[in-house]
Amino acid sequence: MRPIIGITSYVVPATWGVWHEVSTALIPNDYVAAVELAGGRAVILPPDERDADVLRVLDGLLLAGGPDIEPGRYGAEPAPLTESRPERDAGEFLLVRKALELDLPVLGVCRGMQVLAVATGGTLHQHLPDVLGHEQHRPAPGVYGEHEARFEGGSLIAKLMGDDLGIHCYHHQGVADPGTLRVTGRTEDGLAEAVEAPDRRFVLGVQWHPEVTRDQRLFGALVEAAG
């Protein structure tokens, strides 16, 4: 039986066929395809803040990208360009904290890495151009930023990535304080690009988007850990 990987999802207005602007639970199929190619069975998880019972039937958790985290969760006031979805935060933070408690394998992508950091006591930069002085992590609408990352020797991400240092990302926020996690990868401007929990079976967060290229190193590692 394939390991079952739950993928957190958006709830946004969507249009298909004769239906227009219908409130819809969805996720880009890149995530589903990446999990399936790695040998897993993808299950989409709509936001649900009532409990984390679904983890009983999951073998791994994939925290997908998406909107900004509500700044009150890390003790900050919203900045002008912060756009959050409190209902998604409520469901995901419940899931990730329970998953960490259960030592369930977790992979966080972009927003998912930020959720991991905040859930373990960390904080975020709300708008990177104000901190870094450039917009290379989100150069234009729908355009990925291209970077080379440096990975900490001996870390999980270094072992998975090998000599391939190229990443592509799309985000305007970033991890300022990783909480109890360890930063194991940074871009040339010093921004955290990978975090890990070495005391857990498999907890990895990456700020870039490996699902777009169906990166089997990362998704394969998640599915293997969940197997």
Side-chain angles (χ1 to χ4, degrees), residues 12-24 26:
V12 292
T15 298
W16 69 94
V18 299
W19 309 107
H20 298 275
E21 298 294 309
V22 178
S23 182
T24 307
L26 56 78

Side-chain angles (χ1 to χ4, degrees), residues 48-69:
D48 186 337
E49 62 180 295
R50 287 171 291 185
D51 56 57
D53 287 357
V54 69
L55 296 180
R56 297 176 185 174
V57 297
L58 298 181
D59 301 305
L61 179 64
L62 173 53
L63 301 169
D68 303 329
I69 295 167

Side-chain angles (χ1 to χ4, degrees), residues 66-206:
D68 303 329
I69 295 167
E70 205 286 308
R73 289 189 174 270
Y74 49 93
E77 293 295 323
L81 296 177
T82 296
E83 297 182 4
S84 57
R85 296 288 187 275
E87 72 285 350
R88 182 166 174 187
D89 291 345
E92 285 192 7
F93 277 88
L94 188 66
L95 286 176
V96 74
R97 287 184 172 126
K98 189 63 175 179
L100 292 172
E101 179 185 324
L102 296 172
D103 199 17
L104 193 74
V106 181
L107 174 62
V109 172
C110 196
R111 167 194 159 89
M113 169 174 150
Q114 297 168 12
V115 170
L116 279 168
V118 174
T120 59
T123 62
L124 304 180
H125 298 300
Q126 290 193 52
H127 192 54
L128 291 176
D130 295 340
V131 178
L132 302 177
H134 64 75
E135 298 189 14
Q136 294 173 16
H137 292 271
R138 190 177 69 175
V143 176
Y144 288 101
E146 302 290 336
H147 297 270
E148 280 201 352
R150 299 181 181 89
F151 302 118
E152 183 180 296
S155 65
L156 171 62
I157 192 62
K159 293 173 183 175
L160 293 175
M161 296 295 286
D163 295 329
D164 182 6
L165 306 180
I167 60 174
H168 56 282
C169 55
Y170 188 78
H171 58 103
H172 82 112
Q173 298 197 338
V175 170
D177 178 341
T180 63
L181 302 177
R182 187 174 81 196
V183 176
T184 55
R186 296 185 184 272
T187 41
E188 64 278 0
D189 53 19
L191 186 68
E193 284 288 336
V195 295
E196 301 177 21
D199 61 337
R200 292 293 192 275
R201 191 156 49 116
F202 183 94
V203 173
L204 174 64
V206 296

Side-chain angles (χ1 to χ4, degrees), residues 27-51:
I27 195 69
N29 194 57
D30 286 335
Y31 292 99
V32 174
V35 166
E36 291 179 345
L37 283 171
R41 177 69 164 93
V43 176
I44 297 174
L45 305 176
D48 186 337
E49 62 180 295
R50 287 171 291 185
D51 56 57

